[in-house]
Short mmCIF file of all heavy atoms in Angstrom, two decimals:
data_model
loop_
_atom_site.label_atom_id
_atom_site.label_comp_id
_atom_site.label_asym_id
_atom_site.label_seq_id
_atom_site.Cartn_x
_atom_site.Cartn_y
_atom_site.Cartn_z
N PRO W 17 -96.21 64.34 118.00
CA PRO W 17 -96.96 63.28 117.35
C PRO W 17 -96.23 62.73 116.14
O PRO W 17 -95.24 63.30 115.69
CB PRO W 17 -98.25 64.00 116.93
CG PRO W 17 -97.80 65.41 116.67
CD PRO W 17 -96.75 65.68 117.72
N ARG W 18 -96.71 61.66 115.60
CA ARG W 18 -96.11 61.06 114.42
C ARG W 18 -96.46 61.88 113.18
O ARG W 18 -95.64 62.06 112.29
CB ARG W 18 -96.62 59.62 114.27
CG ARG W 18 -95.91 58.84 113.20
CD ARG W 18 -94.54 58.38 113.66
NE ARG W 18 -93.93 57.54 112.64
CZ ARG W 18 -93.23 58.03 111.61
NH1 ARG W 18 -93.07 59.34 111.49
NH2 ARG W 18 -92.70 57.22 110.72
N HIS W 19 -97.68 62.36 113.16
CA HIS W 19 -98.16 63.21 112.08
C HIS W 19 -98.88 64.40 112.72
O HIS W 19 -99.61 64.23 113.69
CB HIS W 19 -99.13 62.47 111.15
CG HIS W 19 -98.52 61.27 110.49
ND1 HIS W 19 -97.79 61.36 109.32
CD2 HIS W 19 -98.54 59.97 110.84
CE1 HIS W 19 -97.38 60.15 108.99
NE2 HIS W 19 -97.81 59.29 109.88
N LEU W 20 -98.67 65.57 112.14
CA LEU W 20 -99.29 66.78 112.67
C LEU W 20 -99.78 67.61 111.49
O LEU W 20 -99.00 67.93 110.59
CB LEU W 20 -98.28 67.56 113.51
CG LEU W 20 -98.77 68.85 114.17
CD1 LEU W 20 -99.91 68.55 115.14
CD2 LEU W 20 -97.62 69.53 114.91
N VAL W 21 -101.05 67.95 111.53
CA VAL W 21 -101.63 68.78 110.47
C VAL W 21 -102.03 70.11 111.08
O VAL W 21 -102.72 70.16 112.11
CB VAL W 21 -102.86 68.10 109.84
CG1 VAL W 21 -103.46 69.00 108.76
CG2 VAL W 21 -102.48 66.75 109.25
N ARG W 22 -101.59 71.18 110.46
CA ARG W 22 -101.90 72.52 110.92
C ARG W 22 -102.33 73.39 109.74
O ARG W 22 -101.90 73.16 108.60
CB ARG W 22 -100.69 73.17 111.59
CG ARG W 22 -100.40 72.63 112.98
CD ARG W 22 -101.43 73.11 113.97
NE ARG W 22 -101.24 72.60 115.31
CZ ARG W 22 -101.81 71.51 115.79
NH1 ARG W 22 -102.60 70.77 115.00
NH2 ARG W 22 -101.60 71.14 117.03
N ARG W 23 -103.16 74.37 110.04
CA ARG W 23 -103.53 75.37 109.03
C ARG W 23 -102.56 76.53 109.14
O ARG W 23 -101.96 76.79 110.19
CB ARG W 23 -104.96 75.84 109.24
CG ARG W 23 -105.98 74.73 109.06
CD ARG W 23 -107.40 75.26 109.01
NE ARG W 23 -108.34 74.17 108.85
CZ ARG W 23 -108.63 73.60 107.68
NH1 ARG W 23 -108.06 74.04 106.57
NH2 ARG W 23 -109.49 72.62 107.61
N ARG W 24 -102.41 77.23 108.05
CA ARG W 24 -101.52 78.39 108.04
C ARG W 24 -101.86 79.33 109.19
O ARG W 24 -103.02 79.63 109.44
CB ARG W 24 -101.61 79.13 106.71
CG ARG W 24 -100.84 78.48 105.59
CD ARG W 24 -100.99 79.25 104.30
NE ARG W 24 -102.37 79.26 103.83
CZ ARG W 24 -102.83 80.01 102.84
NH1 ARG W 24 -102.03 80.85 102.22
NH2 ARG W 24 -104.09 79.95 102.47
N GLY W 25 -100.84 79.80 109.88
CA GLY W 25 -101.05 80.73 110.99
C GLY W 25 -101.15 80.07 112.35
O GLY W 25 -101.03 80.75 113.37
N GLN W 26 -101.35 78.75 112.37
CA GLN W 26 -101.43 78.06 113.66
C GLN W 26 -100.03 77.78 114.19
O GLN W 26 -99.03 78.00 113.53
CB GLN W 26 -102.23 76.76 113.52
CG GLN W 26 -103.70 76.98 113.25
CD GLN W 26 -104.47 75.67 113.19
OE1 GLN W 26 -104.01 74.66 112.64
NE2 GLN W 26 -105.67 75.68 113.78
N GLU W 27 -100.00 77.23 115.39
CA GLU W 27 -98.73 76.87 116.01
C GLU W 27 -98.54 75.36 115.96
O GLU W 27 -99.50 74.60 116.10
CB GLU W 27 -98.70 77.35 117.46
CG GLU W 27 -97.43 76.98 118.21
CD GLU W 27 -97.43 77.46 119.65
OE1 GLU W 27 -97.27 78.68 119.86
OE2 GLU W 27 -97.58 76.62 120.56
N ALA W 28 -97.31 74.95 115.79
CA ALA W 28 -96.99 73.51 115.81
C ALA W 28 -96.01 73.27 116.95
O ALA W 28 -95.03 74.00 117.11
CB ALA W 28 -96.37 73.08 114.48
N ARG W 29 -96.29 72.23 117.72
CA ARG W 29 -95.38 71.82 118.81
C ARG W 29 -94.98 70.38 118.59
O ARG W 29 -95.84 69.49 118.57
CB ARG W 29 -96.05 71.98 120.17
CG ARG W 29 -96.06 73.39 120.68
CD ARG W 29 -96.68 73.46 122.06
NE ARG W 29 -96.64 74.83 122.56
CZ ARG W 29 -95.96 75.22 123.63
NH1 ARG W 29 -95.30 74.32 124.35
NH2 ARG W 29 -95.96 76.47 124.01
N LEU W 30 -93.70 70.16 118.48
CA LEU W 30 -93.16 68.83 118.24
C LEU W 30 -92.36 68.43 119.48
O LEU W 30 -91.54 69.21 119.97
CB LEU W 30 -92.26 68.81 117.00
CG LEU W 30 -92.91 68.94 115.62
CD1 LEU W 30 -93.64 70.26 115.43
CD2 LEU W 30 -91.86 68.77 114.53
N ARG W 31 -92.58 67.21 119.93
CA ARG W 31 -91.94 66.77 121.17
C ARG W 31 -90.95 65.64 120.93
O ARG W 31 -91.15 64.80 120.04
CB ARG W 31 -92.99 66.33 122.18
CG ARG W 31 -93.79 67.47 122.78
CD ARG W 31 -94.89 66.96 123.70
NE ARG W 31 -95.96 66.32 122.96
CZ ARG W 31 -96.96 66.96 122.38
NH1 ARG W 31 -97.04 68.27 122.44
NH2 ARG W 31 -97.90 66.29 121.74
N CYS W 32 -89.92 65.64 121.74
CA CYS W 32 -88.88 64.62 121.60
C CYS W 32 -88.35 64.24 122.97
O CYS W 32 -87.89 65.09 123.73
CB CYS W 32 -87.73 65.15 120.74
SG CYS W 32 -86.25 64.09 120.77
N SER W 33 -88.42 62.95 123.27
CA SER W 33 -87.80 62.42 124.49
C SER W 33 -86.56 61.65 124.09
O SER W 33 -86.65 60.66 123.35
CB SER W 33 -88.78 61.52 125.24
OG SER W 33 -89.89 62.26 125.70
N PRO W 34 -85.39 62.06 124.54
CA PRO W 34 -84.16 61.37 124.13
C PRO W 34 -84.07 60.00 124.77
O PRO W 34 -84.86 59.64 125.65
CB PRO W 34 -83.06 62.28 124.65
CG PRO W 34 -83.68 63.00 125.82
CD PRO W 34 -85.13 63.17 125.45
N MET W 35 -83.11 59.24 124.30
CA MET W 35 -82.86 57.94 124.91
C MET W 35 -82.44 58.15 126.36
O MET W 35 -81.84 59.17 126.72
CB MET W 35 -81.75 57.21 124.16
CG MET W 35 -82.20 56.63 122.84
SD MET W 35 -80.89 55.71 122.00
CE MET W 35 -80.78 54.27 123.07
N LYS W 36 -82.72 57.16 127.17
CA LYS W 36 -82.36 57.23 128.59
C LYS W 36 -80.86 57.41 128.73
O LYS W 36 -80.06 56.71 128.10
CB LYS W 36 -82.81 55.95 129.29
CG LYS W 36 -82.63 55.99 130.80
CD LYS W 36 -83.18 54.71 131.44
CE LYS W 36 -83.01 54.75 132.94
NZ LYS W 36 -83.52 53.53 133.59
N GLY W 37 -80.48 58.39 129.53
CA GLY W 37 -79.06 58.62 129.74
C GLY W 37 -78.43 59.60 128.77
O GLY W 37 -77.27 59.98 128.92
N HIS W 38 -79.19 60.02 127.76
CA HIS W 38 -78.67 60.98 126.79
C HIS W 38 -79.08 62.39 127.20
O HIS W 38 -80.26 62.65 127.46
CB HIS W 38 -79.23 60.69 125.39
CG HIS W 38 -78.67 59.46 124.76
ND1 HIS W 38 -78.86 59.15 123.42
CD2 HIS W 38 -77.93 58.45 125.27
CE1 HIS W 38 -78.26 58.02 123.16
NE2 HIS W 38 -77.69 57.56 124.26
N SER W 39 -78.11 63.29 127.20
CA SER W 39 -78.41 64.66 127.59
C SER W 39 -78.23 65.65 126.44
O SER W 39 -78.32 66.85 126.64
CB SER W 39 -77.52 65.08 128.77
OG SER W 39 -76.16 64.97 128.41
N HIS W 40 -77.94 65.12 125.25
CA HIS W 40 -77.74 65.97 124.07
C HIS W 40 -78.86 65.68 123.08
O HIS W 40 -79.10 64.52 122.73
CB HIS W 40 -76.40 65.68 123.41
CG HIS W 40 -75.21 65.88 124.31
ND1 HIS W 40 -74.36 66.96 124.19
CD2 HIS W 40 -74.76 65.15 125.36
CE1 HIS W 40 -73.42 66.87 125.12
NE2 HIS W 40 -73.64 65.79 125.85
N VAL W 41 -79.51 66.73 122.63
CA VAL W 41 -80.64 66.59 121.71
C VAL W 41 -80.42 67.47 120.48
O VAL W 41 -79.94 68.61 120.60
CB VAL W 41 -81.98 66.97 122.39
CG1 VAL W 41 -83.09 67.15 121.37
CG2 VAL W 41 -82.39 65.89 123.39
N TYR W 42 -80.77 66.94 119.33
CA TYR W 42 -80.59 67.64 118.06
C TYR W 42 -81.90 67.57 117.28
O TYR W 42 -82.58 66.55 117.30
CB TYR W 42 -79.49 66.96 117.22
CG TYR W 42 -78.25 66.62 118.00
CD1 TYR W 42 -78.22 65.50 118.82
CD2 TYR W 42 -77.11 67.40 117.91
CE1 TYR W 42 -77.10 65.17 119.56
CE2 TYR W 42 -75.97 67.07 118.64
CZ TYR W 42 -75.97 65.96 119.46
OH TYR W 42 -74.85 65.64 120.18
N TRP W 43 -82.20 68.65 116.59
CA TRP W 43 -83.36 68.66 115.69
C TRP W 43 -82.87 68.86 114.26
O TRP W 43 -82.04 69.72 113.99
CB TRP W 43 -84.35 69.77 116.07
CG TRP W 43 -85.15 69.51 117.30
CD1 TRP W 43 -84.85 69.88 118.59
CD2 TRP W 43 -86.39 68.79 117.38
NE1 TRP W 43 -85.83 69.46 119.44
CE2 TRP W 43 -86.79 68.79 118.74
CE3 TRP W 43 -87.22 68.18 116.43
CZ2 TRP W 43 -87.98 68.19 119.17
CZ3 TRP W 43 -88.38 67.59 116.87
CH2 TRP W 43 -88.76 67.60 118.22
N TYR W 44 -83.47 68.05 113.36
CA TYR W 44 -83.16 68.14 111.94
C TYR W 44 -84.47 68.25 111.17
O TYR W 44 -85.50 67.73 111.58
CB TYR W 44 -82.43 66.88 111.46
CG TYR W 44 -80.99 66.77 111.90
CD1 TYR W 44 -80.67 66.29 113.17
CD2 TYR W 44 -79.95 67.13 111.06
CE1 TYR W 44 -79.35 66.19 113.59
CE2 TYR W 44 -78.63 67.03 111.45
CZ TYR W 44 -78.34 66.56 112.72
OH TYR W 44 -77.04 66.46 113.13
N ARG W 45 -84.38 68.88 110.02
CA ARG W 45 -85.54 68.97 109.12
C ARG W 45 -85.18 68.26 107.81
O ARG W 45 -84.04 68.36 107.33
CB ARG W 45 -85.90 70.43 108.84
CG ARG W 45 -87.06 70.59 107.86
CD ARG W 45 -87.69 71.94 107.93
NE ARG W 45 -86.80 73.03 107.51
CZ ARG W 45 -87.18 74.30 107.44
NH1 ARG W 45 -88.41 74.63 107.76
NH2 ARG W 45 -86.33 75.22 107.07
#
Side-chain angles (χ1 to χ4, degrees):
Chain W
R18 189 76 176 86
H19 300 275
L20 182 60
V21 179
R22 285 288 178 266
R23 296 191 181 278
R24 281 179 297 170
Q26 292 183 319
E27 178 180 286
R29 280 183 178 244
L30 288 62
R31 288 176 289 277
C32 169
S33 296
M35 285 183 71
K36 187 176 180 180
H38 289 192
S39 59
H40 302 254
V41 166
Y42 314 79
W43 286 93
Y44 287 82
R45 177 161 65 177

